[in-house]
Amino acid sequence: MAAETLKIKGMHCASCAAIIEKALIKTEGVRSAEVNFGTETAKVDFDSAKTSAKELSKKIEPLGYSFYVSTAEEMGMTEEEHAAHLGLSQSKDEKLRELAEMKKKISIAIPLSVVSIFSMSWEILSSFDILPGLPLLLSELLRYTIPVIAAYMLVVVGRPYLKGVYRFIRYGNANMDTLIGIGTSVAFLYSVIVTVFAETLSRFIDVSSTYYDVTIVVVAFITLGKYLEARSKIKTGDAIEKLLNLQAKTALVKRDGKEIEIPADQVRIGDLIIVKPAGRIPVDGVLVEGSSFVDESMVTGEPIPVEKKRGDSVVAGTMNTSGSFIFQAAKVGSETLLSHIIKMVEEAQGSKAPIQALADKISSVFVPVVLVISFLALALWLLIGSSILGFSSALSLGLVSFVGILVIACPCALGLATPTAIIVGVGKGAKEGILVKDAATLEKFYKVDTVVMDKTGTITKGRPELAGMKNFSKESDEKITSILASLENKSEHPISRAIVEYAREKNIKIEDVINFEIIKGKGVRGKIGKDEYFAGNSKLMEDLKLSFDKKSMEENTKKGKTPVILASAKGVIGVFMVEDSLKPEAAEAIRKLHNLGIKTIMLTGDDRNTAFYIASQVGIDEVFAEVLPEDKQNKIKELQEKNHIVAMAGDGVNDAPSLAQADVGIAMATGTDVAIESAGITLLHGDISKLVKAVHLSRITMRGIKQNLFWAFIYNIVGIPLAGGIFYPIFGWTISPIFAGLAMAFSSVSVVSNSLRLKAIKL
Ligand code: ADP
Ligand code: MG
């Protein structure tokens, strides 16, 4: 099986998506297909033994679409390699070329439609005696040129719509182009017939009214609307382009003692790379020589340049400021943080939000339903209208309704409503160091009412330090510290790091440990020589049935320090206190979450007193302390069973199960590890004030989607009956197909502009 995301060429509207989806699913070997109009991509899950992207493209070609696959396959590359090969911006170039072509079309279409509008308005005004009739020469000229202009608009500018009609006749697939095509060609053909057979027909109908102007203006407006829409759509996706532009083109590497400049994609792991002042960092790595401040804002959203010394990691795409340094490449090519971010953003932008399902469902049945309605309207006008108004008036009103409904009903705006807002929202997040996995996550996050937070690394810095000890044994302080440090040296826990670092600083001996074991959520055990030792929390001591003076720790735990109790099988040897400082932004971020109506809960395996103290410092609502790792997940389940929509924020290392259990998992990424699978949202730079921004982001985006859906629906809901002439018997209202065309164009443009507006909102 292969799951591929393929770019589609030739999509015009949301109903195209449904048509392509249907055609793909019908194909043998395809298990599932999901087509997104906003990003013009198809996610296809297919059996690669039975079919290929190229074959699939052939399946949709008769329908007027194709996949951008042939080049990649012909070059023997996977789609990804090919995209990398092209530098991805290629598709944007193509888009720009397409846009230029559309521009050429409208630069002819608009002046022509102005001529038509001019002659039409003059005619109307003169029929009311407001203006004198047109000079004879001019009116004769227009009489012959208007039909020619209409023919040109229909056949040349309106070619995509005629193709839609052809597809409808040939394959029975209708999309919004079909609607426009039928509407404008019916108006044109009717007018031609009336013009040619004027003499014969004049006995039955009013031959003075023709609808060339409808064809001209509708095609012009719709094309203009599509142009504006395409132009804005390019802008909605520029976040990716900006990220791609962060990639350095070249790298200055040290090879065989010489400095040489090579393309950035040729850097190998282990290469030593020289970064000059104001240089861009080409790959991820670790600084080995020199020091500087690096501006990481483009990747993490962190505005202040970060100091980098020996041993610190640097990431591709960030900018060196004034110093210079050498670093060793650790991650290159598609493995860098920046590449991961780009991939994540692309995937998220192409994913479908559940809220879109409704719009998709509607647009898939929309076109046939509208076709039926428009024919019904025509029939009703002829049947009922002609007995009241006479056949001639009924026919012209019926025709106007028929064309008007077809033109105004296009579900185009409906198809754009969700994806454009998602694209903008996801891109906006990426700029701030908020990486969203998919659209569904953003929609879920919008509904979150409870945020559960891990203590270490989320609320506190996650870099604890040793802050004191009590020795209960006859051994020296140094000796017992050595025992503890030796044990902790085998563990990766933040507590262990604190103790080992302290021992190293004080030159305290770290000895070999055998039979080492981690006791999850409690501590560690191991043997030094023949003697077995334990280090951990009071739970571990209870398990060992070792009694000790718990009270003696309280004055420390109540001030937020974490106790590490060192014991042998015989008894407690000493108690060490480690202290982790609060993140400076934590208290304010939690206050802001409360202001947004979100409840905050701290979830930790740490000592109860310690946890309560820290929670009170930052204003957390509720605390679950001394929770074993496996129970963390259950705590979240309990909250969900009480109908809370829960987000869990953790450092991702041992929190993976609870991140996965939560409705939305939020990983606080530090350094270069963004690929946290179980997280729906990743906050770069581990800054919890970003969590607040992420809430804003989800609210802004979802609000944008809802507004878009409203605007898309309202045009159709109001427009169809109005165009059908429902109000004619009561108020004498109908709308000209010309206004229907204008409204149609405006609805798509307003939806896309509303999405673009989201870009400007501050998080
Ligand atoms: P959390 O990440 O919420 O702090 P953990 O499950 O990682 O939870 O740890 C829970 C508790 O277990 C810690 O607060 C500490 O008391 C004890 N503990 C875990 N690992 C160690 C260790 N290596 N050394 C000492 N104590 C430990
Ligand atoms: Mg932890």
Side-chain angles (χ1 to χ4, degrees):
M1 287 313 256
E4 273 190 51
T5 302
L6 305 165
K7 274 216 76 70
I8 305 168
K9 228 188 321 206
M11 285 181 86
H12 305 293
C13 66
S15 44
C16 296
I19 293 169
I20 299 172
E21 246 173 45
K22 235 192 267 162
L24 289 175
I25 289 171
K26 268 197 284 182
T27 309
E28 210 200 309
V30 174
R31 194 160 57 178
S32 70
E34 194 180 278
V35 176
N36 186 314
F37 173 50
T39 54
E40 295 174 42
T41 54
K43 257 195 216 145
V44 196
D45 199 358
F46 61 89
D47 187 345
S48 36
K50 285 196 183 133
T51 186
S52 66
K54 209 169 162 187
E55 293 266 303
L56 290 174
S57 184
K58 288 217 180 87
K59 285 274 180 232
I60 60 169
E61 270 158 33
L63 308 176
Y65 317 102
S66 63
F67 288 131
Y68 287 98
V69 283
S70 40
T71 25
E73 284 201 353
E74 268 152 28
M75 291 169 81
M77 289 190 225
T78 67
E79 206 49 36
E80 247 180 277
E81 284 166 341
H82 187 238
H85 177 76
L86 292 175
L88 269 169
S89 44
Q90 185 73 13
S91 67
K92 178 163 181 191
D93 279 354
E94 259 163 11
K95 279 220 168 95
L96 287 175
R97 220 176 303 134
E98 219 174 292
L99 205 60
E101 257 165 51
M102 286 171 95
K103 198 173 177 179
K104 231 189 282 165
K105 267 189 182 173
I106 57 166
S107 64
I108 301 168
I110 296 297
L112 289 180
S113 68
V114 168
V115 172
S116 153
I117 291 171
F118 166 78
S119 97
M120 182 176 65
S121 333
W122 194 293
E123 219 171 87
I124 293 170
L125 293 174
S126 66
S127 74
F128 288 110
D129 286 328
I130 297 168
L131 285 177
L134 277 174
L136 191 65
L137 194 65
L138 189 57
S139 83
E140 278 300 293
L141 185 68
L142 285 172
R143 204 156 74 87
Y144 290 103
T145 44
I146 294 284
V148 175
I149 294 177
Y152 172 81
M153 293 295 271
L154 184 70
V155 179
V156 181
V157 182
R159 213 178 127 83
Y161 316 123
L162 282 188
K163 274 193 186 161
V165 179
Y166 170 76
R167 276 201 301 271
F168 178 58
I169 295 166
R170 177 84 207 276
Y171 302 102
N173 281 317
N175 62 14
M176 77 159 259
D177 286 355
T178 317
L179 297 180
I180 306 280
I182 294 177
T184 51
S185 43
V186 163
F188 180 73
L189 289 178
Y190 173 83
S191 308
V192 170
I193 291 169
V194 165
T195 313
V196 175
F197 302 105
E199 260 171 58
T200 339
L201 290 172
S202 63
R203 268 176 287 148
F204 309 103
I205 56 171
D206 173 16
V207 291
S208 66
S209 50
T210 55
Y211 297 103
Y212 293 118
D213 47 1
V214 168
T215 307
I216 298 171
V217 179
V218 167
V219 170
F221 278 160
I222 303 274
T223 311
L224 177 67
K226 286 202 161 189
Y227 167 74
L228 294 177
E229 174 195 316
R231 209 180 58 170
S232 318
K233 243 167 97 183
I234 287 184
K235 270 192 239 156
T236 60
D238 62 4
I240 284 280
E241 196 198 344
K242 282 193 186 131
L243 286 169
L244 284 168
N245 284 340
L246 292 179
Q247 259 155 359
K249 306 272 174 299
T250 58
L252 196 59
V253 297
K254 232 176 164 172
R255 274 188 191 161
D256 311 321
K258 271 184 292 191
E259 287 181 15
I260 49 168
E261 189 157 331
I262 59 170
D265 54 10
Q266 285 176 20
V267 174
R268 290 180 301 227
I269 291 173
D271 273 343
L272 290 174
I273 296 154
I274 301 152
V275 182
K276 299 252 163 89
R280 203 177 274 287
I281 289 147
V283 298
D284 291 358
V286 177
L287 199 144
V288 292
E289 201 183 308
S291 69
S292 183
F293 283 84
V294 173
D295 179 2
E296 298 191 324
S297 58
M298 49 297 268
V299 175
T300 65
E302 168 73 43
I304 306 153
V306 185
E307 186 175 9
K308 299 286 177 184
K309 298 186 300 270
R310 217 185 117 92
D312 288 338
S313 50
V314 290
V315 295
T318 57
M319 285 282 270
N320 183 20
T321 57
S322 52
S324 63
F325 59 87
I326 298 176
F327 76 97
Q328 186 164 36
K331 282 178 184 163
V332 299
S334 62
E335 289 305 305
T336 64
L337 175 65
L338 185 62
S339 301
H340 277 301
I341 293 175
I342 292 172
K343 205 166 159 222
M344 235 174 124
V345 171
E346 268 180 335
E347 279 177 8
Q349 286 187 332
S351 65
K352 266 188 190 176
I355 196 172
Q356 199 187 335
L358 175 70
D360 279 352
K361 213 178 254 160
I362 292 173
S363 41
S364 72
V365 295
F366 206 73
V367 174
V369 167
V370 165
L371 273 172
V372 170
I373 293 178
S374 61
F375 277 107
L376 270 179
L378 178 61
L380 283 175
W381 272 113
L382 291 180
L383 283 176
I384 303 169
S386 46
S387 64
I388 300 163
L389 305 164
F391 179 72
S392 177
S393 308
L395 177 66
S396 61
L397 280 167
L399 209 65
V400 165
S401 296
F402 175 74
V403 176
I405 292 175
L406 291 178
V407 170
I408 205 165
C410 290
C412 192
L414 211 51
L416 290 167
T418 314
T420 51
I422 290 289
I423 290 170
V424 171
V426 168
K428 195 177 172 70
K431 239 201 246 129
E432 299 270 357
I434 301 165
L435 300 181
V436 180
K437 192 174 183 185
D438 51 27
T441 301
L442 210 55
E443 189 174 334
K444 246 313 170 27
F445 197 46
Y446 169 73
K447 296 181 188 141
V448 160
D449 60 11
T450 307
V451 174
V452 178
M453 283 174 257
D454 176 39
K455 177 178 72 71
T456 319
T458 304
I459 297 167
T460 65
K461 285 184 178 159
R463 292 217 143 265
E465 281 170 19
L466 189 62
M469 62 181 287
K470 250 197 184 110
N471 191 341
F472 295 132
S473 71
K474 290 183 281 298
E475 305 288 346
S476 69
D477 286 0
E478 187 174 329
K479 173 73 189 154
I480 68 166
T481 309
S482 160
I483 295 171
L484 181 64
S486 307
L487 278 179
E488 297 291 9
N489 193 32
K490 291 260 181 182
S491 153
E492 297 284 328
H493 203 275
I495 291 176
S496 319
R497 251 188 290 147
I499 289 159
V500 174
E501 241 163 59
Y502 174 84
R504 290 240 163 85
E505 254 169 48
K506 293 277 175 315
N507 280 322
I508 291 171
K509 200 167 166 209
I510 292 172
E511 296 190 75
D512 280 345
V513 171
I514 51 168
N515 298 348
F516 177 80
E517 208 181 302
I518 287 174
I519 308 155
K520 265 204 196 153
K522 293 175 183 171
V524 295
R525 67 190 288 179
K527 272 183 169 176
I528 300 175
K530 298 193 297 307
D531 306 316
E532 174 150 53
Y533 295 101
F534 303 85
N537 52 19
S538 43
K539 263 196 188 144
L540 181 64
M541 297 305 123
E542 279 160 29
D543 288 355
L544 294 168
K545 301 204 166 51
L546 291 178
S547 63
F548 72 104
D549 182 14
K550 240 183 162 177
K551 278 262 177 291
S552 70
M553 317 192 306
E554 259 175 23
E555 73 180 281
N556 280 310
T557 54
K558 285 193 169 155
K559 283 195 192 123
K561 291 176 191 159
T562 302
V564 180
I565 308 153
L566 177 67
S568 71
K570 282 178 251 136
V572 171
I573 298 169
V575 178
F576 293 75
M577 286 294 164
V578 294
E579 188 171 23
D580 195 1
S581 47
L582 293 175
K583 286 192 180 173
E585 77 278 3
E588 194 185 332
I590 283 156
R591 210 191 56 235
K592 282 185 179 160
L593 284 175
H594 292 164
N595 288 342
L596 290 167
I598 290 172
K599 184 175 177 176
T600 54
I601 297 176
M602 181 200 272
L603 181 59
T604 178
D606 208 341
D607 185 272
R608 191 171 303 275
N609 288 331
T610 313
F612 271 95
Y613 175 81
I614 304 245
S616 72
Q617 288 289 302
V618 293
I620 292 243
D621 290 329
E622 207 176 312
V623 181
F624 301 145
E626 299 183 11
V627 184
L628 293 175
E630 57 268 31
D631 289 336
K632 287 185 175 174
Q633 197 181 346
N634 292 331
K635 281 283 178 202
I636 293 185
K637 223 187 263 171
E638 275 168 33
L639 288 167
Q640 286 169 327
E641 276 157 12
K642 287 183 197 147
N643 291 324
H644 287 294
I645 312 277
V646 185
M648 160 87 198
D651 55 12
V653 184
N654 51 16
D655 301 322
S658 27
L659 290 186
Q661 173 67 42
D663 296 288
V664 178
I666 303 166
M668 315 289 291
T670 42
T672 58
D673 54 339
V674 275
I676 298 165
E677 292 289 325
S678 42
I681 295 178
T682 303
L683 303 178
L684 295 177
H685 218 79
D687 182 342
I688 93 162
S689 57
K690 284 207 183 114
L691 207 148
V692 182
K693 287 190 174 178
V695 174
H696 277 299
L697 181 73
S698 72
R699 294 192 178 181
I700 289 169
T701 312
M702 293 312 294
R703 216 181 297 136
I705 290 176
K706 287 179 182 172
Q707 289 161 348
N708 286 349
L709 286 173
F710 170 79
W711 283 115
F713 274 118
I714 203 78
Y715 278 100
N716 290 329
I717 290 169
V718 175
I720 294 177
L722 197 58
I726 275 193
F727 301 114
Y728 184 79
I730 316 166
F731 307 112
W733 291 351
T734 62
I735 63 169
S736 151
I738 291 175
F739 288 106
L742 186 66
M744 202 15 253
F746 192 70
S747 73
S748 298
V749 172
S750 63
V751 159
V752 178
S753 324
N754 187 48
S755 294
L756 278 177
R757 186 186 58 88
L758 304 181
K759 266 209 233 184
I761 301 175
K762 216 177 146 341
L763 284 182

